[in-house]
Amino acid sequence: MSIAPDQRSPEEPRTPSRESQRGLDWFIFFLADVQTGFGPFVAVYLTTQKWTQVEIGFVLSIGGIIGLLGQMPGGAIVDAARSERVVAGCAVAAIGASALAYALWPIFPVVTLAATLHALASCVLGPAIAAISLGLVGPLAIGERLGRNARFASLGSGSAAALMGACGYLLSSRSVFLVTFILAIPTLLSLARIREREIDIAQAHGEVKREVPDKRATSVVGLVRQRPLLIFAGAMMLFQLANAAMLPLMAGVVTTRSSQWAPVLIAACIIVPQAIVALCSPSVGRKAQAWGRRPLLLIAFAALAIRGLLFATVRDPYVLVMVQIFDGITAAIFSVMVPLIVADVAFGSGHFNLAQGIVGTAVGIGASLSTVLAGYVSDKLGSSTAFMGLAGIAAFGLLMVWLVMPETRRTA
């Protein structure tokens, strides 16, 4: 006898249709394609349009600042929405419009507005994807679903980088943004394949049905005071403080040591971790439920610390590419662990997406400080010292998880 959606226990696994699962897979794949168009291609394109570096830096800074400040409001918007599909669809449409504006009117006021619109849309897309995933499969199966999400995001990013790089080389840098606009169409079509009725809205927000309302359990203040959430946000800030500057700093080192092969080596340093994420992420989701969250967090921080130490000591630029295997391990784990641990902690609060915004803000702060601090240390004391410092921060994060981070895994 089947159980109606409104009669199902919040702890009982849900079984969404194959069509909805595939729709979410391809939505994430094409969305990664769309988002890739706003990466390094923006600076290249605006440079060809005779923009100054000051103007380019201003536009990029706007996106970064709005992306940081909009994390918590974006999560709150998704929590307040009655349809995560509608929120995600509007955000994708906004990003497509931004790409078209870049391509057709590369003038300062239009590009500034487009960058703002893109940053605002991105603030709700991450929480919306996690909410749709949680609403489809429930809290017990969310780990494996998040691993699957990470695989398709990685495959999408890699294929889009190749496609847009080829378009930029064979056609023009403007064509990258026209391709981005066109890719928004299959993204929306994939989103439409996810059946609305299969998304449990209450579960997507981290709610549980109670016979008697519990204001204390569902208050925002109670969520913000949760010790596991604050500890995890602090750990994620340390992670990004150690991680964000490593690849840019290493790119400078590779260029100095082997300028002729630097573009190829740097591309390889990006592709290697993406391949590992695509291969390993589903396994991470399964292991997170079997082993718990803390062992995987410890592995991720250890891999990050080892990567920093190797960057500080290895001199061969080709061996540095192999060191990026550790980056792939770390990325595969954290692409699953961040929304998974937030879902654990926010369970029953009804503010799952706001909690994602809190952790996202901590991540943004760590990433913003990382490049500034590492660049300063590298200029004053050398790149090896900077890498050792980043490895030390990762080791401190490892110690923090080991000593004070509680296990958050939920079981039936």
Side-chain angles (χ1 to χ4, degrees), residues 11 139-140 142-143 146 226-233 235 288-297 336-348 352 359 401 404-412:
E11 291 286 343
L140 294 182
I142 187 62
L146 291 172
Q226 281 209 42
R227 183 171 170 268
L229 179 63
L230 296 178
I231 292 171
F232 184 59
Q289 193 59 31
W291 297 354
R293 304 350 181 188
R294 288 182 72 250
L296 291 167
L297 287 179
V336 177
M337 284 299 107
V338 173
L340 182 57
I341 291 177
V342 172
D344 293 339
V345 174
F347 181 80
F352 164 54
V359 174
V401 171
V404 298
M405 179 71 193
E407 178 57 60
T408 63
R409 175 181 54 175
R410 302 193 64 80
T411 61

Side-chain angles (χ1 to χ4, degrees), residues 181-197:
F181 171 72
I182 293 170
L183 285 171
I185 297 172
T187 307
L188 290 171
L189 292 175
S190 300
L191 179 64
R193 291 186 61 192
I194 304 171
R195 297 174 180 174
E196 184 79 60
R197 66 178 181 274

Side-chain angles (χ1 to χ4, degrees), residues 366-392:
S368 300
L369 293 175
S370 179
T371 49
V372 175
L373 294 176
Y376 178 81
V377 173
S378 180
D379 287 342
K380 296 295 183 181
L381 302 174
S383 59
S384 293
T385 303
F387 282 127
M388 292 294 287
L390 295 175

Side-chain angles (χ1 to χ4, degrees), residues 189-269:
L189 292 175
S190 300
L191 179 64
R193 291 186 61 192
I194 304 171
R195 297 174 180 174
E196 184 79 60
R197 66 178 181 274
E198 294 183 8
I199 303 172
D200 187 314
I201 295 299
Q203 199 161 247
H205 299 162
E207 295 177 15
V208 293
K209 295 179 175 65
R210 297 179 172 88
E211 293 183 4
V212 179
D214 187 347
K215 292 185 178 180
R216 183 177 179 182
T218 57
S219 73
V220 173
V221 175
L223 175 69
V224 173
R225 287 180 176 175
Q226 281 209 42
R227 183 171 170 268
L229 179 63
L230 296 178
I231 292 171
F232 184 59
M236 288 308 302
M237 186 173 71
L238 289 174
F239 164 72
Q240 280 296 356
L241 188 60
N243 179 69
M246 278 198 189
L247 186 58
L249 197 60
M250 191 273 290
V253 172
V254 168
T255 303
T256 302
R257 296 174 185 171
S258 181
S259 58
Q260 181 180 358
W261 289 96
V264 176
L265 293 173
I266 293 167
C269 286

